[in-house]
Amino acid sequence: MKSNVGKLFTTAAIAATISAGAAASTLEDVQAKGFIQCGVSQGVPGFSNADSNGNWSGIDVDACRAAAAAIFGDAQKVKFTPLSAKERFTALQSGEIDVLSRNTTWTYTRDTSLGLDFTTVNFYDGQGFMARKNLGVTSAMDLDGATVCTEQGTTTELNMADFFRKHKLSYVPVVVQKADEALAAYASGRCDVFTTDKSGLAAHRSKLADPSAHIILDETISKEPLGPVVRHGDNQWKDIVTWAMFVQVNAEEMGISSKNVAQIKKETNDPGIKRLLGAEGDMGAQLGLSADWAYNIIAQVGNYGEVFERNVGPSTPVGLPRGINKLWTEGGVMYAPPVR
Amino acid sequence: MSDKTTSSNKSFLNDAGNRALIFQIILLAVVVFVGYYLFSNLQANLANQGISTGFAFLNQPAGFPVLIHLIDYTEADTYGRAFVVALINTIVISLMGIVLATIIGVVMGLARLSNNWLVARLATVYVETLRNIPLLLQMFFWYFAVLATLPIPKNSFIFGGFFLNKRGIYSPNPIVQDGFGMVIAGFVLSIVASIALIVWAKKRQTRTGVWFPAYWTSLGVIFVITFLALVVSGFPIEFDLPQKSRFNVTGGMVLPPEFVAVLVALSTYTGAFIAEIVRAGILSVNWGQTEAARSLGLKDSLTQRLIVLPQALRVIIPPLTSQFLNLAKNSSLGAAIAYPELVAVVMGTTLNQTGQAIENIGLCMLVYGTLSLTISVFMNWYNKKMSLTER
């Protein structure tokens, strides 16, 4: 009897291991259901924000649209799951979403211990502080004794603690569950300062009643490389999400945009561009995609510069300068491996 | 006896007792197997996804701040200590909420039964309004609508050493000086004296029937003796007064708005339910009991305290236990308005920084389970104590 029970348990353990190991590839799952389930933030203008008709737009949204364009040839085949910072990793780990594209900072711990893989960086950011102009604060070093509002479950909480500790400044932390409620607490005067990534500060400032009454302090207290995240262990899926972004950066570098991509595909003699746009070679097949996957990304979503300008550039309400997110050829750090 | 002899004639499996035992064993085996299967599946899946497991993270430095900590805590402390801080915050808000909700509930329950038309109607409006609005909304209301309308720190309301503004209620912080031991000694002495007085009064009343206001007197005794000790030792207390600084009010003791909002929302919301329970309990006591008490010449207040409420308690306590449990569990909603309780600190920040979902959620479930069971055990003990003693 005893040995039988032991056998039963061993069999069960083996069965459990096998069933865990035999998951289908994410690409097959996505193709079978016909859309990408994309985890985004709950409303940060310029990064992911839904309009009154429920249409999502933003840099993070476009990362998923690019992947959809690559897989389906249709950038609209994405469904969005708005997630708070504290929900996001669990949602990805559990398979509720296929890609997490939610201004998430690439850190060592997240990359190594969460069972997740960061694909690439689609926005280089850093944490900053926003305060009311009438406080007369011009530098973060003036913030001794201030009350600081922030969203829960982000690297922001840790960076803020490190900053104040390093400079021996006292502060009162008010850590609110959602970004919008943290902003509301700041707007109501519960806090002197609101802190998050600088891009987020600009986005949130555009939501305040009188944006011009608030100043974003010069100091950048951390590095925040933001980018899409996938589950660990599905290399093909990671490659697709990664290269959907790299294609956009390369396209900008080569001068290919959504406006001229059709014409260039027809007229170009450049073998590199021909390979990229699927006129020659088998670049698509290497990823398990159609030959015109990169063409579809550029035609439907645009190159990286177009994505930036459309969502957060100086002409948008968010109004961010391109800064270090310029191409490496123009003095920035946006650099993609060559497509060959 | 005859049963046994007949059953011995039948086969082993035909015996009801044996069969029951066999079924129990099979059920246990199935439960253990399913549990083992789920656990090993979880382990395999976690290993497969490269997610590290275990509670080792509790010894790692947390690195994040916590707004309200009743024990010393800094960013350099561990996740384990942050967990304890959060646990204390949860217990404190739950216990204070339970006490306040009970007071509110009893008062409002009695008010609904009042003969005064206005009092009864006001109590009805209170109960019906608060019972029918989700608790989370009420927390947002107190936090974002009520407390946020207070002035900014620069324009604080000031009375005495107290400051009131958006950042909280600031009060003078008493700091104990040398010689305070005498005051403590005086306080302990006065309590001993009061207990002796109450015992004596009870004995005398049983013996002679003469009543003595022992409780009020002992309150006076405690106050006078402690005050005398304070005078003799030369007031060994200094106050750290709050004062305005560049951004906030600093110094003193502060009650942050997050705490106030959660406490008010929890106690008024649960109080509305308790009011209904109290009303039902009192209505369940036969009117004849009140009439009998009156005919004995008891005052109305004594009738309520000595005749009606003890009988009503038997009906009140079981549903009251549920309300206490609800309150303790609902304290987790405080996470939404930045009150750093268990869910906010453990399932919010810690989970997000460490990625240890299973461990952190398990920890929270364990705490709420233990908290609820403790409340239940206590209330069941109290229920037994209050139940009808048949002689």
Side-chain angles (χ1 to χ4, degrees):
Chain A
M1 184 63 191
K2 204 176 179 189
S3 69
N4 276 345
V5 173
K7 246 182 214 166
L8 194 67
F9 278 2
T10 325
T11 323
I14 293 168
T17 323
I18 291 171
S19 64
S25 86
T26 313
L27 177 62
E28 285 167 19
D29 283 352
V30 165
Q31 280 169 334
K33 68 185 170 191
F35 59 89
I36 297 175
Q37 194 70 45
C38 177
V40 292
S41 66
Q42 291 157 315
V44 178
F47 286 82
S48 64
N49 208 17
D51 65 17
S52 53
N53 298 322
N55 297 318
W56 287 85
S57 64
I59 284 188
D60 291 336
V61 164
D62 282 347
C64 287
R65 294 222 189 274
I71 295 166
F72 300 109
D74 181 353
Q76 297 307 313
K77 292 202 166 164
V78 188
K79 288 191 180 167
F80 294 97
T81 305
L83 297 167
S84 72
K86 54 179 279 196
E87 295 161 349
R88 57 188 162 176
F89 297 125
T90 318
L92 183 61
Q93 286 164 343
S94 65
E96 195 187 323
I97 54 174
D98 304 310
V99 187
L100 174 67
S101 184
R102 189 201 176 280
N103 46 21
T104 299
T105 305
W106 189 340
T107 68
Y108 174 83
T109 310
R110 287 174 176 178
D111 207 357
T112 55
S113 70
L114 296 187
L116 304 177
D117 276 338
F118 282 79
T119 57
T120 175
V121 177
N122 65 359
F123 195 93
Y124 289 93
D125 209 340
Q127 185 175 341
F129 297 103
M130 174 165 73
R132 270 180 198 74
K133 275 188 182 156
N134 62 18
L135 278 178
V137 176
T138 50
S139 155
M141 302 305 286
D142 297 339
L143 293 178
D144 193 20
T147 304
V148 185
C149 277
T150 190
E151 183 190 0
Q152 183 180 64
T154 63
T155 48
T156 317
E157 259 183 284
L158 303 189
N159 295 333
M160 154 178 96
D162 285 354
F163 173 81
F164 283 101
R165 210 153 34 124
K166 192 164 93 185
H167 296 286
K168 298 200 165 54
L169 304 174
S170 67
Y171 71 112
V172 181
V174 177
V175 180
V176 191
Q177 204 173 24
K178 291 181 179 174
D180 274 345
E181 282 147 21
L183 187 71
Y186 167 76
S188 79
R190 172 68 183 99
C191 305
D192 303 302
V193 180
F194 182 74
T195 181
T196 187
D197 297 346
K198 280 191 157 176
S199 61
L201 289 180
H204 282 116
R205 181 165 67 171
S206 71
K207 290 200 269 187
L208 290 170
D210 177 14
S212 63
H214 303 269
I215 177 174
I216 294 174
L217 304 178
D218 282 339
E219 281 91 345
T220 302
I221 65 167
S222 68
K223 286 188 292 188
E224 308 285 338
L226 310 178
V229 194
V230 296
R231 273 183 298 281
H232 185 82
D234 189 338
N235 296 340
Q236 181 195 30
W237 182 247
K238 183 188 170 185
D239 287 344
I240 291 173
V241 177
T242 308
W243 281 93
M245 167 67 188
F246 284 160
V247 158
Q248 292 172 291
V249 176
N250 278 313
E252 185 181 9
E253 203 179 315
M254 295 171 175
I256 309 172
S257 71
S258 59
K259 293 178 191 71
N260 63 19
V261 65
Q263 196 189 359
I264 287 180
K265 188 179 183 181
K266 250 184 283 168
E267 294 171 1
T268 186
N269 291 317
D270 183 331
I273 295 178
K274 278 190 160 178
R275 276 199 300 273
L276 175 67
L277 299 181
E280 263 178 21
D282 65 342
M283 291 288 194
Q286 293 174 16
L287 277 178
L289 301 175
S290 64
D292 58 355
W293 69 284
Y295 174 87
N296 289 332
I297 294 175
I298 302 166
Q300 294 180 25
V301 184
N303 66 34
Y304 182 72
E306 289 180 277
V307 169
F308 190 100
E309 294 304 323
R310 180 170 70 226
N311 294 308
V312 295
S315 60
T316 65
V318 181
L320 289 174
R322 186 78 185 263
I324 59 169
N325 287 297
K326 281 184 196 142
L327 292 181
W328 65 289
T329 49
E330 290 161 23
V333 296
M334 202 46 85
Y335 185 107
V339 181
R340 63 168 44 255
Chain B
M1 244 2 225
S2 63
D3 253 15
K4 240 184 187 157
T5 43
T6 43
S7 73
S8 69
N9 296 333
K10 293 177 186 169
S11 83
F12 178 75
L13 281 176
N14 267 342
D15 184 276
N18 285 343
R19 276 206 305 220
L21 192 65
I22 289 168
F23 281 124
Q24 300 278 344
I25 290 171
I26 292 175
L27 181 67
L28 184 69
V30 168
V31 169
V32 169
F33 174 74
V34 168
Y36 177 80
Y37 178 80
L38 290 176
F39 183 72
S40 55
N41 207 349
L42 169 77
Q43 290 280 328
N45 275 320
L46 287 176
N48 206 29
Q49 288 189 35
I51 300 175
S52 46
T53 52
F55 285 94
F57 71 90
L58 286 175
N59 291 320
Q60 304 291 323
F64 61 83
V66 178
L67 173 65
I68 300 170
H69 45 91
L70 298 175
I71 56 174
D72 283 340
Y73 174 84
T74 68
E75 291 89 342
D77 284 315
T78 60
Y79 283 115
R81 194 165 178 89
F83 166 72
V84 175
V85 166
L87 179 64
I88 293 175
N89 285 344
T90 288
I91 292 176
V92 164
I93 202 90
S94 301
L95 292 185
M96 290 184 72
I98 283 174
V99 170
L100 268 179
T102 310
I103 295 171
I104 293 172
V106 170
V107 170
M108 285 297 166
L110 291 175
R112 274 201 87 170
L113 295 170
S114 165
N115 293 326
N116 182 319
W117 186 86
L118 187 64
V119 169
R121 284 310 111 98
L122 282 177
T124 307
V125 168
Y126 161 79
V127 167
E128 293 307 333
T129 311
L130 271 80
R131 242 164 37 119
N132 290 305
I133 297 173
L135 179 54
L136 186 61
L137 274 187
Q138 295 192 30
M139 283 192 186
F140 284 141
F141 171 76
W142 290 109
Y143 188 56
F144 285 115
V146 178
L147 294 175
T149 57
L150 290 168
I152 57 173
K154 217 166 51 176
N155 310 330
S156 302
F157 294 130
I158 304 172
F159 25 87
F162 291 80
F163 284 61
L164 179 65
N165 62 39
K166 276 183 204 295
R167 310 280 164 85
I169 303 163
Y170 294 76
S171 68
N173 189 14
I175 294 170
V176 169
Q177 307 292 313
D178 287 346
F180 195 72
M182 196 167 170
V183 181
I184 294 176
F187 182 67
V188 172
L189 192 76
S190 63
I191 287 190
V192 173
S194 308
I195 293 172
L197 182 73
I198 291 167
V199 171
W200 169 81
K202 200 154 210 169
K203 267 192 182 152
R204 194 183 70 146
Q205 193 184 351
T206 335
R207 201 155 32 83
T208 64
V210 182
W211 184 72
F212 181 80
Y215 287 97
W216 289 112
T217 316
S218 42
L219 212 63
V221 167
I222 292 172
F223 183 76
V224 169
I225 293 185
T226 312
F227 186 74
L228 275 178
L230 263 176
V231 172
V232 172
S233 59
F235 289 98
I237 294 180
E238 269 182 18
F239 286 95
D240 171 26
L241 294 176
Q243 49 201 316
K244 277 182 205 175
S245 64
R246 173 157 187 181
F247 295 110
N248 296 314
V249 173
T250 53
M253 272 195 303
V254 60
L255 212 53
E258 287 78 17
F259 178 85
V260 177
V262 175
L263 184 62
V264 169
L266 274 180
S267 49
T268 52
Y269 176 78
T270 314
F273 289 89
I274 294 180
E276 289 293 82
I277 293 171
V278 168
R279 183 169 71 106
I282 289 173
L283 287 178
S284 78
V285 178
N286 198 316
W287 180 243
Q289 297 285 324
T290 308
E291 285 181 324
R294 281 184 185 161
S295 65
L296 285 174
L298 278 184
K299 283 189 293 181
D300 264 4
S301 60
L302 284 179
T303 307
Q304 285 290 340
R305 196 153 65 84
L306 299 175
I307 308 293
V308 177
L309 274 180
Q311 298 187 68
L313 271 180
R314 287 176 201 137
V315 179
I316 290 173
I317 292 170
L320 193 62
T321 308
S322 303
Q323 290 307 320
F324 288 174
L325 295 182
N326 282 344
L327 188 144
K329 287 178 286 181
N330 284 340
S331 70
S332 60
L333 290 173
I337 57 167
Y339 179 71
E341 48 67 67
L342 204 65
V343 167
V345 172
V346 176
M347 283 176 64
T349 308
T350 305
L351 197 164
N352 223 272
Q353 303 300 354
T354 63
Q356 313 269 281
I358 310 269
E359 289 84 352
N360 282 304
I361 292 172
L363 218 51
C364 279
M365 285 165 68
L366 189 73
V367 166
Y368 282 109
T370 312
L371 196 62
S372 294
L373 286 176
T374 311
I375 294 174
S376 285
V377 166
F378 174 77
M379 291 302 284
N380 286 339
W381 166 80
Y382 186 62
N383 191 28
K384 212 159 226 166
K385 194 164 166 277
M386 284 295 140
S387 68
L388 195 61
T389 329
E390 293 185 26
R391 293 198 171 92

